[in-house]
Amino acid sequence: MEMSQLRASGTVRPIVRWSEPVLHTPARPVTDFGPDLQALLADMFATNTAAEGAGLAAAQVGVGLAVFVYDCTDENGKRRAGVICNPELELPQGDERRLVELTEGCLSYPGGYAPLARPSHATCRGRDHHGEPVTVTAAGILGRCLQHETDHINGMVFGDRLSARGRRQMRTLHEEAVSRYPDDWPVSPAAPRD
């Protein structure tokens, strides 16, 4: 499938929550780039769009494959969308490394946000939806998304990177908001804020 078809043909799936083991287990590599993967990716794009996310890893729809989709803006405000299978993340080192603290959230922990410092930019190498080599380098929201989604591939959620105080803050916000999100969200929409 072409990218435009992937982004327009999927079915929204429920997003699994942090309590699910699939989110805390390293994903297995993608080896088959056939129709099953294409259908999964189309569903992931549809789910990410319905949830108004920046990116979504396969684990977040309950599939333990090393792949994520992204659809967000880069440091120049340009909207970019794509797929990275079997991602390998490269972060700046030495004098090039600069941390930026931004408020981060996760679709698998709805309503929970906390400030998190991450490197200002990242490069992610892997395979696209056809199995061809792909490299994405970005700062801004996309740069953070590359890091966040690669964490999911490695069985890590962003809360694992927070201090105890940050986890408490995030948990409080999540507990205040979670009743708005049905168990099958975003198949069923979240209730409006009061």
Side-chain angles (χ1 to χ4, degrees), residues 114-125:
L116 178 63
R118 288 192 187 262
S120 59
H121 64 281
T123 296
C124 197
R125 300 180 196 285

Side-chain angles (χ1 to χ4, degrees), residues 12-25:
V12 177
R13 296 187 186 193
I15 293 176
V16 300
R17 306 293 168 93
W18 279 10
S19 59
E20 294 297 320
V22 70
L23 290 173
H24 306 281
T25 305

Side-chain angles (χ1 to χ4, degrees), residues 41 68 100 117:
L41 294 172
F68 68 83
V100 175

Side-chain angles (χ1 to χ4, degrees), residues 100-182:
V100 175
E101 185 174 87
L102 294 173
T103 300
E104 193 165 322
C106 182
L107 298 177
S108 291
Y109 202 71
Y113 297 91
L116 178 63
R118 288 192 187 262
S120 59
H121 64 281
T123 296
C124 197
R125 300 180 196 285
R127 301 282 171 174
D128 70 9
H129 56 293
H130 295 300
E132 297 299 320
V134 63
T135 300
V136 178
T137 299
I141 295 171
L142 178 55
R144 183 164 288 259
C145 177
L146 297 174
Q147 296 174 65
H148 181 111
E149 300 308 332
T150 300
D151 277 352
H152 277 307
I153 301 304
N154 294 321
M156 178 182 280
V157 295
F158 90 94
D160 296 336
R161 294 189 175 275
L162 295 174
S163 66
R165 181 176 182 227
R167 283 192 299 274
R168 281 192 304 274
Q169 173 187 337
M170 176 191 59
R171 190 176 310 114
T172 298
L173 291 171
H174 170 72
E175 289 170 357
E176 290 171 358
V178 72
S179 64
R180 296 183 35 242
Y181 295 87

